[in-house]
Amino acid sequence: MKEEKIPTHVGIIMDGNGRWATMRGLKRSAGHKAGFNTLKTLATHILNSGVKVLSIFAFSTENFSRSKEEVDYLMDLFVTGVKTLKKEFSKYNIKVIFSGRSKPLPDKVLKEMKKVEAYTENNTNGIFNICLNYGGKAEIVDTAKKIAKLVKEGKLNIEDI
């Protein structure tokens, strides 16, 4: 019998929930809610199957260009969803962490992020990493600025890049 290989880290890009709802004649918010419900079930299953880290790419910097109504709904869904995940994941000993930028996330989101991280910080059965307010373009710009600053300060030789 062949031994099963379980990956250490799995990443999921949450994409298409709004389109899914639109294709069915529903509001985009119904798709986001359905996506969250599916994610909750899927994440618990993945982390209880031996995967050590599950990263969910949930909201990119580019998503802030959506309508104010949709962004506000997503931020509210995040706050209420994280409260649910906090209890659910603690039951399964799963630690929740966040990756991404804090600005311009609303204070209510940042507050809930801190609460869930503190509540689950000692859990050891796996890590659920929620990537929120991340973006490839932003990461490249940030890195270029850091490199330029180090070169300007004489801490990095341009030839070493």
Side-chain angles (χ1 to χ4, degrees):
M1 184 169 206
K2 191 173 183 178
E3 184 180 325
E4 252 187 84
K5 292 186 180 181
I6 298 174
T8 302
H9 191 159
V10 172
I12 297 174
I13 299 171
M14 296 186 68
D15 187 35
N17 294 319
R19 287 187 300 278
W20 175 88
T22 301
M23 288 175 14
R24 286 160 177 75
L26 304 170
K27 292 176 95 177
R28 288 179 61 83
S29 58
H32 297 310
K33 178 74 171 158
F36 170 76
N37 290 335
T38 299
L39 170 65
K40 189 168 59 170
T41 303
L42 184 62
T44 304
H45 174 75
I46 289 171
L47 290 165
N48 284 329
S49 295
V51 172
K52 297 298 177 204
V53 181
L54 174 61
S55 291
I56 300 298
F57 294 86
F59 189 89
S60 73
T61 54
E62 290 82 7
N63 289 152
F64 276 109
S65 65
R66 295 178 180 193
S67 72
K68 180 179 178 349
E69 178 185 7
E70 187 171 5
V71 171
D72 288 348
Y73 177 83
L74 287 166
M75 293 298 117
D76 289 342
L77 177 61
F78 177 81
V79 169
T80 57
V82 164
K83 288 177 184 178
T84 304
L85 291 177
K86 178 173 72 173
K87 293 174 185 161
E88 182 78 13
F89 285 179
S90 285
K91 184 168 63 176
Y92 294 105
N93 197 27
I94 296 167
K95 181 178 186 172
V96 180
I97 63 170
F98 298 91
S99 298
R101 299 162 169 252
S102 58
K103 292 187 181 189
L105 292 172
D107 287 340
K108 65 183 177 184
V109 170
L110 297 171
K111 183 178 172 185
E112 205 55 47
M113 287 166 62
K114 286 180 185 173
K115 281 183 185 178
V116 73
E117 282 184 327
Y119 192 83
T120 64
E121 70 183 342
N122 295 318
N123 294 351
T124 59
N125 193 43
I127 296 172
F128 184 63
N129 177 30
I130 302 172
C131 303
L132 192 65
N133 197 23
Y134 63 89
K137 291 177 188 175
E139 300 298 325
I140 291 169
V141 169
D142 287 350
T143 301
K145 286 178 180 179
K146 286 177 188 175
I147 290 170
K149 184 175 185 246
L150 291 171
V151 169
K152 183 179 177 183
E153 293 171 349
K155 295 178 180 176
L156 180 65
N157 185 329
I158 201 161
E159 300 303 322
D160 294 334
I161 300 172

